[in-house]
Amino acid sequence: MERYEFEGAEVLALVLESRGAKERLMTEAQRYLAAGIDLLAEQQAAEWDGEVDHPGTGADPGLWLMNDRGVYLRSNARTRDADSVAYARGYRGDIAVGDEPTCEFIDAATLDPVRVGDTLVVTLDEQKVRLSLIRPE
């Protein structure tokens, strides 16, 4: 199980960026679902040719949890500043994490309770992404 902590103020800035975007990108998994591809359905996966016929836009506001260069959150806004990310404490860009890059979507609505001064805790296991908050007294 992996645990990552993010500064609440940075998370809120990314949520605002996503909500304010005119267009938002989908993760690869969201594109599959939007195109009607269920990779867990054995027959459909066996017949799938590897192509996804979907533009990859139209996602709900949210953040992507990524590990391709450290562990960080970024908004799913199509147009965004490349430096607009929130790194997990202790997992900046020079820290290799995991065997393969991953991208998990976190819906902005689930982040509504986050406040400036909070710490967002993201806990991952093989099947779940769990969010919790550490709130200062």
Side-chain angles (χ1 to χ4, degrees):
M1 186 177 304
E2 301 290 331
R3 176 189 159 114
Y4 305 104
E5 296 183 1
F6 299 89
E7 296 294 329
E10 293 177 352
V11 172
L12 288 173
L14 296 174
V15 169
L16 286 174
E17 180 179 72
S18 178
R19 286 191 167 139
K22 293 181 181 179
E23 193 170 34
R24 288 176 290 277
L25 300 172
M26 294 180 168
T27 64
E28 188 174 357
Q30 288 174 312
R31 287 183 59 226
Y32 290 147
L33 292 173
I37 299 167
D38 181 359
L39 295 178
L40 298 178
E42 290 182 30
Q43 181 177 353
Q44 190 175 29
E47 296 171 359
W48 181 52
D49 66 3
E51 294 295 318
V52 177
D53 185 22
H54 193 278
T57 57
D60 289 334
L63 304 184
W64 292 356
L65 175 65
M66 303 183 73
N67 73 333
D68 61 338
R69 51 182 173 87
V71 176
Y72 61 97
L73 295 169
R74 63 155 276 195
S75 83
N76 63 347
R78 180 180 196 116
T79 303
R80 53 178 279 288
D81 181 15
D83 293 333
S84 180
V85 299
Y87 282 100
R89 289 183 187 142
Y91 291 92
R92 290 269 173 203
D94 57 345
I95 304 293
V97 178
D99 297 331
E100 293 183 30
T102 59
C103 179
E104 295 291 336
F105 177 75
I106 301 172
D107 192 294
T110 63
L111 299 170
D112 285 344
V114 177
R115 293 187 267 185
V116 173
D118 288 350
T119 297
L120 174 67
V121 179
V122 179
T123 308
L124 303 170
D125 66 23
E126 292 293 320
Q127 298 179 1
K128 289 183 185 178
V129 176
R130 182 176 174 187
L131 306 177
S132 57
L133 290 175
I134 299 172
R135 183 157 287 154
E137 298 285 327

